[in-house]
Amino acid sequence: MSDEEGIFREAIPCYIFGCKWPKTGNRVIIPYEISRYFTKREKRTIEKALRDIRFGGRTPCIHFVRKTRWDRDYLFFLSSNSCQSHIGYFGGGQIIDLDRNGCVRKDVVQHEVLHALGFHHEQVRYDRNHYVTIKYENIQPGKERNFQIANTNNLITPYDYDSVMHYDA
Ligand SMILES: [Zn+2]
């Protein structure tokens, strides 16, 4: 998966900087805007990916809505030459870079959006050594920190090899 994190915050637990998206009642409403440089078809792919991120089953607690001019904090999908996202809430127009060559796919869009919601890669969970073996000799030089264990909150979920947040073998 082509994916690089621009700014790393793995080691910093969210509660220090408040990197959770704010709640409205018991829901989190996340406005988004999609760059006009994406085609209609690409926009549909992005919106479908957002719709299919469902937490809470029939009563989803996270809602993605189109940005209005009153929204100050929102996700902005930028047509870019990389695929990356900050980890957690930053405030303002928070950019998700999507390369039109390869990243405008449901799984990649969901991967980057989940970073923006505060999720790390599955293989950096604090308990990952029970589930995967990292072959450091195979890591491209300079990419080592993509494999550093993070102080994650695993939300009582089992390790998920099939997660969109998991690098492939
Ligand atoms: Zn990633």
Side-chain angles (χ1 to χ4, degrees):
M1 182 171 293
S2 166
D3 172 77
E4 298 175 333
E5 267 64 81
I7 292 180
F8 271 73
R9 298 184 60 174
E10 278 99 334
I12 305 169
C14 280
Y15 55 80
I16 292 178
F17 289 121
C19 64
K20 288 179 182 170
W21 286 79
K23 271 185 179 175
T24 307
N26 53 11
R27 302 194 307 173
V28 177
I29 295 167
I30 301 182
Y32 68 88
E33 185 175 5
I34 301 174
S35 164
R36 62 196 173 88
Y37 293 104
F38 289 109
T39 65
K40 271 199 175 130
R41 190 170 170 202
E42 289 165 339
K43 285 180 184 167
R44 275 201 302 273
T45 300
I46 293 168
E47 293 194 306
K48 173 95 167 75
L50 291 175
R51 274 200 308 277
D52 288 350
I53 293 177
R54 298 184 77 80
F55 293 97
R58 277 189 207 166
T59 50
C61 49
I62 295 182
H63 292 262
F64 296 94
V65 296
R66 288 196 183 153
K67 176 187 177 295
T68 68
R69 61 196 176 105
W70 293 282
D71 291 315
R72 237 174 32 87
D73 298 335
Y74 59 98
L75 291 178
F76 184 73
F77 293 93
L78 181 70
S79 171
S80 171
N81 54 8
S82 66
C83 314
Q84 59 185 1
S85 170
H86 295 294
I87 293 180
Y89 164 83
F90 262 58
Q94 182 169 334
I95 288 171
I96 292 184
D97 290 296
L98 293 179
D99 188 340
R100 295 177 60 204
N101 297 310
C103 288
V104 187
R105 284 178 10 206
K106 181 177 168 182
D107 57 340
V108 180
V109 172
Q110 291 184 337
H111 178 105
E112 301 305 342
V113 170
L114 286 168
H115 276 321
L117 296 183
F119 287 88
H120 297 269
H121 291 140
E122 188 75 354
Q123 78 275 357
V124 304
R125 280 169 64 130
Y126 71 80
D127 58 350
R128 69 104 187 274
N129 285 341
H130 298 296
Y131 303 97
V132 293
T133 304
I134 305 297
K135 301 208 171 213
Y136 288 91
E137 67 274 20
N138 291 342
I139 299 174
Q140 286 174 23
K143 304 280 185 189
E144 293 83 359
R145 50 186 196 168
N146 278 333
F147 298 90
Q148 276 170 15
I149 288 179
N151 179 19
T152 52
N153 174 351
N154 296 337
L155 303 170
I156 326 174
T157 56
Y159 193 89
D160 183 1
Y161 293 99
D162 296 321
S163 168
V164 292
M165 301 313 284
H166 206 307
Y167 280 8
D168 64 28

